[in-house]
Amino acid sequence: MNPADSDSNCVKRLKEIFYPRSVAVLGVTDSVQRVGYNMLESLLHGGFRGRVYPVHPRLEEVMGRKVYRSLAEIPDRVDLVMMALNERASLEALRDCAGKGVKGAVCVAGGYRETGEDGAALEEELRREARRYGVALIGPNTLGFINNEIDLYAFFHPMKLPKGGASFICQSGGVGLSIVYQAAGAGLGINKWVGVGNRSTFEFTDYLAFLGEDRTTTAIGIFVEGTENARQMVRMAGSINKPVVVYKVGRSDAVSYAALTHTGSMAGSYRVYRDIFSQFGLHVVESTSEMVACMRALAMAPPPPGNRVGIFTHTAGPSIVAADLLLERGCVLPDFTEKTMEEVRRITGPSPPFVLKNPLDVAGFGFHAENFGPLLEIVAGDPNVDLIFPIYCHHKNWRFPGPEIVRAREKTGKTFVALYLCQESLCGEDRRLLAGHGIPLFTAPEEAARAAAALVDRGEKLRGRKEI
Amino acid sequence: MNPADSDSNCVKRLKEIFYPRSVAVLGVTDSVQRVGYNMLESLLHGGFRGRVYPVHPRLEEVMGRKVYRSLAEIPDRVDLVMMALNERASLEALRDCAGKGVKGAVCVAGGYRETGEDGAALEEELRREARRYGVALIGPNTLGFINNEIDLYAFFHPMKLPKGGASFICQSGGVGLSIVYQAAGAGLGINKWVGVGNRSTFEFTDYLAFLGEDRTTTAIGIFVEGTENARQMVRMAGSINKPVVVYKVGRSDAVSYAALTHTGSMAGSYRVYRDIFSQFGLHVVESTSEMVACMRALAMAPPPPGNRVGIFTHTAGPSIVAADLLLERGCVLPDFTEKTMEEVRRITGPSPPFVLKNPLDVAGFGFHAENFGPLLEIVAGDPNVDLIFPIYCHHKNWRFPGPEIVRAREKTGKTFVALYLCQESLCGEDRRLLAGHGIPLFTAPEEAARAAAALVDRGEKLRGRKEI
């Protein structure tokens, strides 16, 4: 079997698993404290519209639903099995899948190769049984997965996330949850999410190939602790015609050891990973918040045609913070044209009390949206500017320049990344308004700058695209 | 005049300015669009209980308050003058301060040395006039200052911040606002805040000396673009018996230029600054969010007696992310004692399906607060642990282990930094509960780790304290 076959088989299988018509929960219980209960609630709370079958050998009814004694008793095919079972019972349950047409199983149990030699032997058995009965595994040692497109939360953390184009592949359920919680808070819509666990059946490359083909996924984020085959993973990621953002932990030996006992993989050298990632055009981030910021920008805004950033502000400091990060990440801050400066002077008077440079800090001339708008339009329209970065500071008595930013975007067609200095809770309305026009809005200067740099990076990758 | 005299005079003068009994607003207007209006509203909205005198040559009344024609007309001493005037009018207004006992003036106007030679000459004149009339300047080219202890917002951004021990010295109003907005969102109480502007009268050292003596300030944050005398600043910061956190921008030449035209100071080499900061025991951060995270921890939690961190979790990935950052910052993750492991086994059974190491990931044994608590207590009580780092992941049907974390803190007396993986909006109650027991709570793994490292750093500084 050559790798290409493997990939296309895996993608086909992942499609079946991510789009099931029927799901059985093995080991459902009526105790809200238990995983089995929460797997069922997760499906119902999420709003999955396929058929759901709770299974338990002795229960009659849970959450008002008939409980089946066994998989065999279900009078239907079962596409996906969710196992709320321990590591031994999960293994045994695979046999029961025979004859039910089961495509895949979510195996949340830990106790496999991440715990040592005995666990590794058990996992090998699990893998063998899965193959024998034609069942592909998500996990083991995973939280599960989400296909938000069809409201499927194959999970035991009942939740409901905003919809959108961002999909995530996470080698840690906890970090993956941290990312989706932060994403939900920032209004980033989630498409698909998977905790890869011990990767008994599917590798990073398989999930990447699947999401690469997935029609509704527009950007892919990966959290990696370690993998034996980083080069294959990044080659796949680099060949996908969608932005891929990667967050890798494990800079130290101690951390490598922790990762080894988490998902049974060596963490490897951080530097080696970074170099490989960059070589293949992946965008590397260094925190969960940076992951969310970059994914928000990449899922929403067009990559600019070049790396020249214009910063427009009425408060200098945040523009300097942003400039610092942008310059570090390969962006340039071009001079504005003489025409731009003339037009600015036409509004501010011939000798405004500020220096006409980039970043352009117009101070009091930018306090009010009505003045902010026309000046922003001039700067955004400058032919030297590929991406424009407007900064506005919240004021109790003055409104945000949302409509003006949208207007400037429509008039100039440039890529915009907006920064409002304010509490998150205060800018929800403008965030939605701007998002509707492909403009991500941030409230911390560093996140805005990193997101803008990610868009520039993406643009460069698209222009310099090479066969890999 | 030797520097020591200068410092003690400056501190005395800053005390008078930060605790005025009467404040006049020059250039008040009745237009909500204007700075003068918002300076007055800022004082009233903030709830300042001293006397407030609006001044304008032609207005009778603003916001229901009598407006005085001039400073001279006010039948009272005036301790602080806030100038909603342009750069020339601010200069002229200093003369009017004569005979009114004015201690200080907030000068928000720009157009001084940050704009070039003419502006520098004007600023020199401003400085001379201020000295002649015995008025000390906050600014020029500043947003103003806050003394939240007495509800004084000498400012033109009306706001109301939570109270607490964190004070900030910011060489940028915008970045300073970004910090207080993020701080307010995270529940960090603000004590004092100042935008230093062009530092015509007061230098960083003066503000530091003032806050160092200030009874209600427990931690100091500084945002620096650049200063001609970094060594003097850090020597002062290092001599203060309070934690000092510093955020410095300006890694590149282009940014140095932007800073030059912002507050008229050279940004200088970032590396040189960093080295000096560390040498004097300041805690260096690299973003506004890290500033807020570290200030939250330092203002609330006791510094641990050593650098040994125990991580306790039921989800591995976030503990690996945290470990990565902690190890990079000089912390160690010690092995737990055999006694600790025995006690853990007494709860989980003799061979739990996880590895007994640090970070300790107890998986399903930590899902419920009732189990999380006793296990956390065992690990926190380990004699090898100086700082304990519990991690819990939000679940719709399971409660947060807030009371259990508090109990473990009370039983062990250790320093705690808690991480909940959840949306910010979901953990407010536990955040307040934990804060009441000196435990900062974070929702992003990287921020929690950086905050814990700041506490460790602070502890090391206290133990290794040298005369400087």
Side-chain angles (χ1 to χ4, degrees):
Chain A
M1 187 167 73
N2 72 46
D5 285 345
S6 164
D7 283 348
S8 77
N9 280 338
C10 283
V11 169
K12 180 169 166 290
R13 183 52 69 96
L14 280 168
K15 278 184 192 161
E16 292 168 340
I17 295 174
F18 272 74
Y19 293 89
R21 289 152 308 159
S22 57
V23 182
V25 179
L26 307 190
V28 82
T29 74
D30 51 8
S31 161
V32 71
Q33 297 290 81
R34 307 292 296 275
V35 168
Y37 179 98
N38 287 289
M39 273 189 181
L40 180 58
E41 192 188 329
S42 185
L43 290 169
L44 304 180
H45 181 79
F48 178 58
R49 292 173 301 278
R51 298 183 295 283
V52 174
Y53 299 108
V55 177
H56 188 279
R58 288 174 308 277
L59 293 173
E60 297 287 336
E61 198 183 281
V62 172
M63 286 184 240
R65 297 196 159 232
K66 173 181 165 60
V67 175
Y68 294 82
R69 298 298 162 98
S70 65
L71 262 179
E73 209 185 68
I74 297 171
D76 189 6
R77 286 173 56 118
V78 172
D79 294 330
L80 174 66
V81 164
M82 292 170 65
M83 297 175 169
L85 304 169
N86 70 25
E87 67 274 25
R88 289 248 153 240
S90 294
L91 180 60
E92 284 155 22
L94 287 172
R95 270 166 229 147
D96 304 332
C97 294
K100 297 303 297 178
V102 174
K103 308 296 183 195
V106 172
C107 181
V108 302
Y112 296 101
R113 67 171 157 135
E114 78 280 8
T115 58
E117 272 184 33
D118 291 355
L122 193 65
E123 184 167 335
E124 193 41 50
E125 224 180 313
L126 183 81
R127 192 198 308 259
R128 210 163 42 230
E129 290 290 281
R131 205 176 295 132
R132 175 189 303 176
Y133 296 106
V135 179
L137 294 173
I138 306 280
N141 191 20
T142 178
L143 279 188
F145 73 89
I146 300 171
N147 181 358
N148 208 19
E149 198 190 338
I150 60 165
D151 303 301
L152 172 62
Y153 291 72
F155 227 41
F156 60 95
H157 277 254
M159 61 174 70
K160 196 79 184 135
L161 297 168
K163 297 196 180 203
S167 291
F168 293 94
I169 303 167
C170 296
Q171 196 175 15
S172 155
V175 173
L177 282 182
S178 182
I179 288 170
V180 294
Y181 285 134
Q182 291 179 53
L188 171 63
I190 306 296
N191 194 286
K192 293 181 181 64
W193 181 104
V194 64
V196 302
N198 288 6
R199 295 169 290 133
S200 273
T201 298
F202 298 113
E203 253 302 340
F204 283 106
T205 45
D206 302 315
Y207 293 111
L208 276 166
F210 165 57
L211 293 177
E213 289 187 16
D214 182 44
R215 223 175 19 82
T216 53
T217 290
T218 56
I220 300 168
I222 314 175
F223 172 77
V224 193
E225 289 176 8
T227 169
E228 303 71 19
N229 208 333
R231 209 168 275 277
Q232 194 182 335
M233 179 183 88
V234 294
R235 190 170 286 135
M236 176 62 80
S239 74
I240 289 173
N241 192 20
K242 294 176 185 179
V244 179
V245 180
V246 62
Y247 177 25
K248 167 81 176 72
V249 284
R251 292 182 185 87
S252 67
D253 289 346
V255 166
S256 297
Y257 175 67
L260 178 65
T261 53
H262 174 205
T263 54
S265 66
M266 283 302 291
S269 154
Y270 183 74
R271 196 183 300 267
V272 170
Y273 273 101
R274 262 205 85 106
D275 290 351
I276 301 176
F277 292 153
S278 300
Q279 183 188 332
F280 284 85
L282 279 67
H283 188 74
V284 181
V285 295
E286 303 208 320
S287 70
T288 48
S289 64
E290 187 180 357
M291 166 65 87
V292 171
C294 292
M295 288 291 284
R296 282 182 57 214
L298 290 164
M300 181 187 297
N307 67 344
R308 301 168 305 168
V309 178
I311 303 183
F312 178 77
T313 185
H314 68 87
T315 170
S319 75
I320 297 176
V321 168
D324 216 5
L325 294 167
L326 289 164
L327 292 164
E328 269 189 341
R329 284 160 173 73
C331 300
V332 297
L333 303 183
D335 290 332
F336 297 125
T337 62
E338 192 45 53
K339 181 160 167 288
T340 294
M341 300 206 262
E342 263 169 43
E343 286 176 25
V344 168
R345 279 192 213 98
R346 205 170 301 148
I347 291 180
T348 63
S351 41
F354 52 77
V355 185
L356 279 170
K357 58 173 178 52
N358 181 16
L360 181 61
D361 170 17
V362 299
F365 289 94
F367 283 172
H368 304 301
E370 296 76 11
N371 307 326
F372 189 95
L375 287 165
L376 173 64
E377 273 176 34
I378 293 167
V379 175
D382 190 296
N384 289 349
V385 168
D386 297 311
L387 182 149
I388 176 84
F389 194 102
I391 302 175
Y392 187 84
C393 184
H394 173 260
H395 190 287
K396 176 178 169 288
N397 295 327
W398 305 336
R399 70 171 173 83
F400 285 127
E404 285 75 13
I405 293 174
V406 166
R407 195 182 135 92
R409 161 119 173 86
E410 287 184 339
K411 276 186 84 165
T412 65
K414 298 285 174 76
T415 300
F416 278 62
V417 173
L419 168 62
Y420 284 0
L421 306 164
C422 68
Q423 275 184 256
E424 279 287 327
S425 56
L426 291 173
C427 64
E429 199 181 312
D430 267 39
R431 170 169 281 164
R432 283 182 292 276
L433 171 67
L434 296 183
H437 293 81
I439 305 172
L441 172 62
F442 298 90
T443 59
E446 296 86 357
E447 287 195 1
R450 290 178 186 128
L455 286 169
V456 168
D457 198 24
R458 176 68 186 153
E460 300 211 317
K461 189 188 173 199
L462 286 175
R463 284 190 304 283
R465 200 169 181 82
K466 288 167 197 147
E467 283 306 315
I468 289 163
Chain B
M1 190 167 69
N2 73 46
D5 284 345
S6 164
D7 284 346
S8 77
N9 280 338
C10 283
V11 168
K12 180 169 166 288
R13 184 51 71 94
L14 281 168
K15 278 184 191 161
E16 292 168 340
I17 295 173
F18 273 74
Y19 292 89
R21 289 153 308 159
S22 57
V23 182
V25 180
L26 307 190
V28 82
T29 73
D30 51 8
S31 162
V32 71
Q33 297 289 81
R34 307 291 295 277
V35 167
Y37 179 97
N38 287 289
M39 273 189 182
L40 180 59
E41 191 187 328
S42 186
L43 289 170
L44 304 180
H45 181 78
F48 177 58
R49 291 174 302 279
R51 299 183 294 281
V52 174
Y53 299 107
V55 177
H56 188 278
R58 289 175 306 279
L59 293 174
E60 297 289 336
E61 198 184 282
V62 172
M63 288 183 237
R65 297 198 161 231
K66 172 181 165 59
V67 175
Y68 294 82
R69 298 297 161 98
S70 65
L71 263 178
E73 208 183 71
I74 297 171
D76 189 5
R77 285 174 58 118
V78 172
D79 294 331
L80 175 66
V81 163
M82 294 172 63
M83 297 175 169
L85 303 169
N86 69 26
E87 66 273 26
R88 289 245 154 241
S90 295
L91 180 60
E92 284 154 23
L94 286 173
R95 268 166 232 149
D96 304 333
C97 294
K100 295 304 296 179
V102 174
K103 308 297 184 194
V106 172
C107 181
V108 302
Y112 295 101
R113 68 172 158 136
E114 79 279 8
T115 59
E117 273 183 34
D118 291 355
L122 193 64
E123 185 166 334
E124 193 40 49
E125 224 180 314
L126 183 80
R127 192 198 307 260
R128 211 165 38 230
E129 291 288 281
R131 206 174 297 133
R132 175 187 304 177
Y133 297 105
V135 180
L137 294 173
I138 306 279
N141 192 19
T142 178
L143 280 187
F145 73 90
I146 300 172
N147 181 359
N148 208 20
E149 198 191 338
I150 59 164
D151 303 301
L152 172 62
Y153 291 71
F155 226 43
F156 61 94
H157 276 255
M159 61 175 68
K160 195 78 184 138
L161 296 169
K163 297 195 181 204
S167 291
F168 293 95
I169 303 168
C170 296
Q171 198 175 17
S172 154
V175 173
L177 283 181
S178 182
I179 288 169
V180 295
Y181 286 134
Q182 290 179 55
L188 171 62
I190 306 296
N191 193 288
K192 293 181 179 65
W193 182 103
V194 63
V196 301
N198 289 7
R199 297 169 288 133
S200 274
T201 297
F202 299 113
E203 253 301 341
F204 282 107
T205 45
D206 302 315
Y207 293 111
L208 276 166
F210 166 57
L211 293 176
E213 289 187 15
D214 183 44
R215 224 173 20 83
T216 53
T217 290
T218 55
I220 301 168
I222 314 176
F223 172 76
V224 193
E225 289 176 7
T227 169
E228 303 72 19
N229 207 334
R231 210 167 274 278
Q232 194 182 336
M233 178 182 89
V234 294
R235 190 170 288 137
M236 176 64 78
S239 74
I240 290 173
N241 192 19
K242 295 175 185 180
V244 179
V245 181
V246 61
Y247 178 25
K248 167 80 177 73
V249 283
R251 292 184 185 86
S252 67
D253 290 345
V255 166
S256 296
Y257 175 65
L260 179 64
T261 53
H262 174 206
T263 54
S265 68
M266 283 302 290
S269 154
Y270 183 72
R271 194 182 302 267
V272 169
Y273 273 101
R274 262 204 85 107
D275 290 350
I276 301 177
F277 292 153
S278 301
Q279 184 189 331
F280 284 84
L282 280 66
H283 189 74
V284 180
V285 296
E286 302 208 320
S287 69
T288 48
S289 65
E290 187 180 358
M291 166 65 85
V292 171
C294 293
M295 288 291 285
R296 282 183 57 213
L298 290 165
M300 183 187 297
N307 67 343
R308 300 168 306 167
V309 179
I311 304 182
F312 178 77
T313 184
H314 68 87
T315 170
S319 75
I320 298 175
V321 168
D324 216 4
L325 294 168
L326 288 165
L327 292 164
E328 270 189 340
R329 284 159 175 73
C331 300
V332 297
L333 303 184
D335 289 333
F336 298 124
T337 63
E338 192 44 54
K339 181 161 168 284
T340 294
M341 301 205 264
E342 264 168 43
E343 287 176 23
V344 168
R345 278 191 213 100
R346 206 169 301 150
I347 291 180
T348 63
S351 40
F354 51 79
V355 184
L356 278 170
K357 58 171 178 54
N358 181 15
L360 181 61
D361 170 17
V362 298
F365 290 92
F367 284 172
H368 303 302
E370 297 76 12
N371 308 327
F372 189 94
L375 287 165
L376 173 63
E377 273 176 35
I378 294 167
V379 176
D382 190 297
N384 289 350
V385 168
D386 299 309
L387 182 149
I388 178 81
F389 192 102
I391 303 175
Y392 188 84
C393 184
H394 172 260
H395 190 286
K396 176 178 167 290
N397 295 328
W398 305 335
R399 71 172 172 83
F400 286 126
E404 284 75 13
I405 293 174
V406 166
R407 195 181 136 90
R409 161 120 172 84
E410 286 184 341
K411 275 187 84 165
T412 64
K414 298 285 174 77
T415 300
F416 278 62
V417 172
L419 168 63
Y420 284 2
L421 306 163
C422 68
Q423 275 184 254
E424 279 287 328
S425 56
L426 290 174
C427 64
E429 200 181 312
D430 268 39
R431 169 170 283 163
R432 281 182 293 275
L433 171 68
L434 296 183
H437 293 81
I439 305 172
L441 171 62
F442 298 91
T443 58
E446 297 86 357
E447 287 195 2
R450 290 178 186 128
L455 285 171
V456 168
D457 198 24
R458 176 68 185 153
E460 301 211 316
K461 191 190 171 199
L462 286 175
R463 284 191 302 285
R465 200 170 182 79
K466 287 168 197 147
E467 284 305 316
I468 288 162

